[in-house]
Amino acid sequence: MNALSEQILSELRHLLSEMSDGGSIGPSVYDTARALQFHGNVTGRQDAYAWLIAQQQADGGWGSADFPLFRHAPTWAALLALQRADPLPGAADAVQAAIRFLERQPDAYAHAVPEDAPIGAELILPQLCDEAASLLGGVAFARHPALLPLRQARLAKLGAVATLPSGHPLLHSWEAWGTSPATACPDDDGSIGISPAATAAWRAHAVTQGRTPQVGRTDGYLQAASRATRTGIEGVVPNVWPINVFEPCWSLYTLHLAGLFAHPALAEAVQVIIAQLDARLGVRGLGPALHFAADADDTAVALCVLRLAGRDPAADALRQFETGELFVTFPGERNASVSTNIHALHALRILGKPAAGTSAYVQANRNAHGVWDNEKWHVSWLYPTAHAVAALAQGKPQWRDERALAGLLRTQRDDGGWGAGCPSTFEETAYALFALHVMDGSEEPAGRRRIAQAVGRALKWMLARHAAHELPQTPLWIGKELYCPTRVVRVAELAGLWLALRWGRRVSAEGAGAGP
């Protein structure tokens, strides 16, 4: 066990030291399909098309059947890309299977827009729907009427602006509304809104309209984004890139949740990241990437980790996102995010600032089982629950919550793991352990025994599935479709396993009921 703990620390140290390359992120069906469609020429992209076909599920759609809300965009995008690649092996069959899938799919947007709808759904899905309708003729499929008023309102707002500033949130979905390259300009990384799909669309329009001086920069960006997927296939791109603020911020925050933030073995790598964040955080806050708009979520997590490192950041950068008693992630967003407010609460408490309204909002937004769900940035309820427990307990050593504890213990699978979909996942099991770690500190002996038993079962499950340097594959984070920020997730997996190992050693040494 000691050897495994050292191996985990070594891998964590390596991951942290790599976080200067823009970020590592899994491949996206949606963005790859859109980029292939906008590229136009099948020649030279056969491997990317083959990859796209290989991602199709047995039912004809793309994306996980566990989370049907996030299957529309990748399926339509793949269909639209593959219909022009008919000569390629498997393309025609994939298109026919996709059409059958779309005909069977119920319309999740028939009457209302779900709170956890994908990013840019109001712009992207109607656009894809229109393209598919012109392609498929009389085929009957979902048309998403509840999104249409939102799309019209967005387009009216965009029509009143000649050019959006670099990094504006709406540029992230430029492929769904932009036609004139004059409405946007590539940022210093060569991207349009840190989106491969948006960048590929802008590039295609720029070439068509003869605006070529900056096309080379977009080519360089798309190549770099493709490398970030680690697939080695030219043309396969991620859902968002770069993530050079989000990736290190969330990784350090996760280390804190596991009790690893101040571990001597990680100190040097942590301090390098802290110095970078400290230099980058200004009065406007931080966004997921250096050249993207600031938001409350990234700003709050950055404030947390900077304060944990002994810095004294001002809360002013976060307060600008405060509206009444809650925080908006981006100004003008359709609905508030539970996890953004959880992170804002944690930041305010760790900075010693009043946060009664935010605390009340977080407390009020749990479900009947005492845990947090209906989150707009992550599909699993275990993610906001772990973070909410940490935020509510911050500065309150005797804080305890029997409802949340019961909810976590009750939902542990027979195999020892946790998951919001059919299978247990390493990432979600780690989140459950982070929450139990906080709760264990203020529980009575009987409660600590219940927790120790759950952790023991989880440890067995994790040990049976752990492999050194294995990149996670399961997409659970919400973008235009579900995606996997590879290093962020791997840090969570390793931190969860390290915590469970340490817990097991302490329980063995101190007897049943002890905790870390």
Side-chain angles (χ1 to χ4, degrees):
M1 290 298 186
N2 285 333
L4 180 54
S5 293
E6 290 302 314
Q7 184 271 316
I8 290 169
L9 291 171
S10 175
E11 187 173 340
L12 283 170
R13 190 164 56 243
H14 177 71
L15 288 166
L16 295 175
S17 69
E18 287 185 317
M19 292 183 185
S20 58
D21 61 358
S24 178
I25 194 158
S28 161
V29 167
Y30 170 81
D31 282 74
T32 296
R34 294 306 267 169
L36 288 172
Q37 185 181 357
F38 292 124
H39 184 265
N41 190 355
V42 175
T43 304
R45 290 287 191 270
Q46 290 96 330
D47 289 347
Y49 278 103
W51 177 87
L52 191 63
I53 293 169
Q55 308 313 304
Q56 189 173 31
Q57 302 298 310
D59 62 6
W62 277 261
S64 171
D66 286 342
F67 307 108
L69 185 62
F70 305 96
R71 305 190 74 189
H72 300 287
T75 298
W76 267 327
L79 168 63
L80 292 167
L82 291 173
Q83 58 87 25
R84 64 173 55 197
D86 188 75
L88 294 179
D93 289 342
V95 166
Q96 291 305 311
I99 291 172
R100 290 192 295 271
F101 172 83
L102 289 170
E103 288 179 308
R104 295 192 305 267
Q105 275 293 94
D107 193 347
Y109 305 89
H111 307 291
V113 180
E115 289 290 304
D116 56 345
I119 289 176
E122 72 278 10
L123 290 167
I124 293 169
L125 293 182
Q127 173 72 15
L128 290 171
C129 193
D130 287 346
E131 291 184 43
S134 64
L135 172 70
L136 301 177
V139 175
F141 54 84
R143 299 304 297 263
H144 307 332
L147 289 172
L148 299 181
L150 295 176
R151 175 175 170 81
Q152 291 306 315
R154 289 287 192 203
L155 292 178
K157 179 180 178 181
L158 288 164
V161 180
T163 304
L164 288 176
S166 178
H168 191 284
L170 286 174
L171 291 177
H172 189 64
S173 301
W174 194 90
E175 77 277 8
W177 60 268
T179 55
S180 170
T183 58
C185 182
D187 61 27
D188 288 352
D189 289 318
S191 88
I192 300 296
I194 62 173
S195 165
T199 305
W202 186 93
R203 180 197 180 282
H205 285 289
V207 170
T208 300
Q209 298 179 30
R211 301 171 63 94
T212 56
Q214 293 177 311
V215 165
R217 290 173 57 211
T218 62
D219 287 339
Y221 164 79
L222 290 168
Q223 290 165 7
S226 181
R227 288 193 295 271
T229 67
R230 308 287 185 92
T231 61
I233 303 172
E234 185 178 3
V236 173
V237 292
N239 191 246
V240 56
W241 193 84
I243 49 171
N244 46 16
V245 175
F246 164 73
E247 182 181 81
C249 274
W250 259 251
S251 295
L252 294 194
Y253 187 75
T254 293
L255 295 183
H256 168 63
L257 298 181
L260 273 166
F261 187 88
H263 197 288
L266 305 176
E268 184 178 350
V270 168
Q271 287 307 314
V272 169
I273 293 174
I274 288 296
Q276 292 172 343
L277 290 175
D278 199 17
R280 293 167 174 175
L281 180 64
V283 293
R284 294 184 178 180
L286 286 170
L290 287 177
H291 303 303
F292 199 71
D295 65 82
D297 209 16
D298 289 276
T299 299
V301 175
L303 290 174
C304 284
V305 298
L306 286 170
R307 188 71 191 95
L308 288 167
R311 308 300 170 97
D312 190 25
D316 297 351
L318 179 60
R319 291 290 188 191
Q320 65 183 313
F321 299 99
E322 194 170 17
T323 303
E325 294 186 342
L326 56 83
F327 288 81
V328 296
T329 310
F330 293 101
E333 68 183 352
R334 181 176 57 84
N335 58 326
S337 158
V338 174
S339 68
T340 292
N341 282 275
I342 289 168
H343 296 144
L345 172 63
H346 204 166
L348 293 172
R349 284 193 170 178
I350 210 168
L351 293 170
K353 303 297 182 183
T358 312
S359 177
Y361 176 85
V362 170
Q363 289 277 23
N365 274 276
R366 60 169 79 195
N367 66 21
H369 302 293
V371 297
W372 287 260
D373 59 6
N374 201 22
E375 164 55 25
K376 66 187 286 184
W377 302 117
H378 199 288
V379 78
S380 174
W381 62 270
L382 289 143
Y383 168 80
T385 295
H387 291 195
V389 167
L392 290 168
Q394 177 65 42
K396 298 180 181 295
Q398 301 308 311
W399 179 88
R400 66 185 303 274
D401 190 308
E402 178 59 34
R403 290 172 64 207
L405 176 58
L408 280 162
L409 295 178
R410 184 178 61 250
T411 52
Q412 187 175 24
R413 301 278 176 78
D414 290 342
D415 61 12
W418 276 267
C422 287
S424 300
T425 73
F426 221 115
E427 178 186 357
E428 293 169 281
T429 300
Y431 294 144
L433 293 177
F434 299 153
L436 293 174
H437 172 45
V438 173
M439 294 174 167
D440 185 78
S442 56
E443 277 297 316
E444 298 295 325
R448 301 189 80 193
R449 282 193 293 272
R450 292 162 63 203
I451 292 173
Q453 290 168 358
V455 174
R457 293 171 56 211
L459 176 58
K460 289 180 181 179
W461 183 88
M462 295 172 107
L463 287 173
R465 289 156 181 82
H466 170 70
H469 303 286
E470 185 173 275
L471 294 179
Q473 304 290 332
T474 306
L476 296 171
W477 295 71
I478 299 174
K480 296 171 183 177
E481 64 182 338
L482 297 184
Y483 71 98
C484 179
T486 315
R487 287 194 194 115
V488 171
V489 173
R490 184 59 175 170
V491 167
E493 293 178 347
L494 292 170
L497 178 56
W498 183 89
L499 179 61
L501 285 168
R502 181 169 175 256
W503 209 317
R505 287 198 300 270
R506 290 285 295 273
V507 168
S508 297
E510 299 175 9

